[in-house]
C-alpha cells in the first residue's frame, strides 16, 4: 500500500487538478503501522538509510519489534528529508495520517479532504487506506454483521471516489480458505500462486470485491530455483469492463 502511494508521489505526472491553484497531495491513511514503522519504510522506498537509535523489545504478542529513541528534532529532520524527496522534487505532497484501530469511520476522508483544501491549499489526487478491516462504516453495524459492514465500507469508499473523482486504494487479507490454497501450493513447490485464487478467498466478505470497481489478488512469492522474490497479480473484478460488455450486448440485441 505504502509502496504504491510512494510511486504516485514520486513518479505520477498525468494528474489534473480541479483547482490549478492548489498543490496536489497523496494521502496514506493508516490504522495498521506505527509512525516510526511508516517513516522507516518511506526512507527505504526513497533509497535512504533510516539511521536512528533503537532497541529491540517484545510486543504484547511476543514478537520482536524496534523501539526508536526519537526526539522532536529527529522528527523535524525526517519530515524535512521526506519533503525534499517528494514535493520539492515532484511537486506532489505526501500526507500521512495515523489513526488507531477502528477509531474512525470512512467519513474521516471527507474531513481530511476539506481540511487539506482549506488549511493547506492542497488537493488530494490519490488515497491509500491501510486497511479495510481497520475502519468503520458510517452506518451502525453489530459485531455479527461484520461481513455486511465490510461491503458497505467499500460502497462508501466508491461513493467518495466518484464524488471527488479520485482513486482510493485499500486492501484485505486472504481468508482461511485462501491461505490453505497458498500453503498447499507452496509445499508442492508450485509457482504463480495467485492464479489459484479467486473471489471466494478474499477476506471475510464477497461484498468486498463485488462492490469495488477493480479488484486484484496479489501474492509475494519466492522462486526457490533462482532464490528470487517476485509479486504475482490476478484481476478478479473489473466493474467498468463488465458494465461496458453488458451495454454492448444490449445494443446488439
Amino acid at each position: 500500500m505504502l509502496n504504491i502511494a510512494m510511486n504516485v508521489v514520486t513518479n505520477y505526472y498525468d494528474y489534473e487538478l480541479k483547482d490549478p491553484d492548489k498543490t496536489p497531495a497523496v494521502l496514506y491513511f493508516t490504522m495498521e503501522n506505527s509512525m516510526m514503522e511508516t517513516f522507516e519504510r518511506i526512507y527505504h522506498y526513497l533509497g535512504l538509510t533510516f539511521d536512528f537509535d533503537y532497541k529491540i523489545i517484545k510486543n504484547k504478542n511476543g514478537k520482536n519489534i524496534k523501539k526508536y529513541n526519537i526526539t522532536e528534532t529527529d522528527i523535524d529532520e525526517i519530515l524535512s528529508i521526506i519533503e525534499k524527496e517528494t514535493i520539492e522534487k515532484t511537486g506532489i505532497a505526501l500526507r500521512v495520517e495515523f489513526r488507531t484501530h477502528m477509531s474512525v469511520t470512512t467519513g474521516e476522508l471527507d474531513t481530511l479532504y476539506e481540511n487539506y483544501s482549506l488549511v493547506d491549499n492542497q488537493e488530494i489526487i490519490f488515497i491509500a487506506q491501510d486497511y479495510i478491516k481497520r475502519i468503520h462504516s458510517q452506518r451502525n453495524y453489530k459485531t455479527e454483521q461484520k461481513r455486511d459492514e465490510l461491503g458497505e465500507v467499500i460502497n462508501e469508499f466508491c461513493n467518495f471516489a466518484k464524488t471527488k473523482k479520485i482513486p482510493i486504494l485499500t486492501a484485505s487479507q486472504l481468508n482461511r480458505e485462501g491461505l490453505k490454497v497458498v500453503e498447499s501450493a507452496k509445499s508442492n513447490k508450485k509457482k504463480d500462486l495467485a492464479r489459484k485464487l479467486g473471489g471466494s478467498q478474499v477476506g471475510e466478505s464477497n461484498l468486498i470485491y463485488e462492490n469495488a470497481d477493480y479488484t486484484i489478488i496479489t501474492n509475494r512469492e519466492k522462486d526457490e530455483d533462482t532464490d528470487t522474490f517476485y509479486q504475482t497479480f490476478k484481476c478478479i473484478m473489473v466493474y467498468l469492463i463488465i458494465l461496458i460488455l453488458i451495454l454492448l450486448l444490449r445494443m446488439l440485441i
Side-chain angles (χ1 to χ4, degrees):
M1 299 286 291
L2 181 56
N3 194 358
I4 293 172
M6 290 302 299
N7 269 283
V8 176
V9 171
T10 57
N11 295 300
Y12 186 59
Y13 301 98
D14 192 25
Y15 58 84
E16 185 174 331
L17 295 174
K18 303 178 193 68
D19 184 348
D21 293 327
K22 294 191 181 299
T23 299
V26 167
L27 170 61
Y28 178 67
F29 191 30
T30 179
M31 299 88 177
E32 173 72 4
N33 299 314
S34 70
M35 179 174 67
M36 297 318 300
E37 285 177 312
T38 303
F39 286 155
E40 184 178 12
R41 292 176 183 180
I42 289 174
Y43 265 55
H44 173 73
Y45 294 135
L46 292 172
L48 304 174
T49 301
F50 197 72
D51 192 16
F52 294 92
D53 291 334
Y54 68 88
K55 60 182 179 180
I56 300 295
I57 64 170
K58 289 187 180 294
N59 63 12
K60 61 182 180 180
N61 297 319
K63 180 181 177 181
N64 288 335
I65 60 172
K66 294 178 181 177
K67 182 177 181 180
Y68 281 96
N69 302 312
I70 297 292
T71 66
E72 290 295 327
T73 301
D74 292 332
I75 294 293
D76 290 339
E77 178 187 341
I78 291 169
L79 295 175
S80 177
I81 290 175
I82 292 175
E83 286 180 0
K84 287 179 181 178
E85 295 296 323
T86 55
I87 187 170
E88 291 183 16
K89 282 188 176 181
T90 66
I92 303 176
L94 173 66
R95 302 298 301 262
V96 181
E97 294 283 347
F98 302 91
R99 298 290 187 276
T100 56
H101 172 63
M102 303 304 285
S103 63
V104 296
T105 72
T106 59
E108 187 77 357
L109 295 181
D110 288 287
T111 301
L112 292 172
Y113 189 93
E114 295 303 321
N115 286 346
Y116 288 0
S117 177
L118 296 174
V119 178
D120 301 316
N121 199 41
Q122 295 178 348
E123 184 176 306
I124 298 177
I125 60 171
F126 175 79
I127 296 175
Q129 185 269 329
D130 190 10
Y131 65 103
I132 185 175
K133 285 181 68 175
R134 296 196 179 279
I135 192 168
H136 277 299
S137 163
Q138 295 177 63
R139 297 175 60 187
N140 291 323
Y141 285 90
K142 298 179 181 178
T143 303
E144 62 270 19
Q145 296 176 306
K146 190 62 182 177
R147 177 185 179 278
D148 295 329
E149 182 175 17
L150 289 171
E152 187 57 30
V153 167
I154 292 295
N155 278 335
E156 290 165 5
F157 279 164
C158 287
N159 289 337
F160 178 91
K162 289 168 184 174
T163 300
K164 306 299 183 184
K165 297 182 179 179
I166 58 172
I168 297 180
L169 175 69
T170 189
S172 175
Q173 297 172 333
L174 295 175
N175 57 26
R176 291 181 180 178
E177 180 186 346
L179 291 174
K180 287 179 181 179
V181 172
V182 170
E183 292 303 319
S184 175
K186 282 183 179 179
S187 64
N188 293 316
K189 296 183 178 180
K190 294 182 179 180
K191 301 178 182 179
D192 201 5
L193 306 187
R195 280 190 180 185
K196 304 180 183 301
L197 300 169
S200 62
Q201 281 97 25
V202 174
E204 299 178 3
S205 173
N206 289 346
L207 294 175
I208 291 176
Y209 76 89
E210 288 177 359
N211 292 351
D213 288 335
Y214 204 102
T215 311
I216 298 172
I217 290 178
T218 181
N219 185 56
R220 187 170 185 258
E221 302 177 21
K222 182 178 181 181
D223 187 336
E224 298 293 346
D225 297 332
T226 61
D227 195 31
T228 303
F229 284 99
Y230 61 97
Q231 201 83 9
T232 57
F233 298 87
K234 179 182 180 181
C235 179
I236 59 171
M237 175 64 74
V238 184
Y239 172 79
L240 184 60
I241 291 177
I242 293 174
L243 179 60
I244 290 173
L245 288 176
I246 292 174
L247 289 175
L248 287 174
L249 286 173
R250 287 180 178 174
M251 288 174 65
L252 290 173
I253 293 172

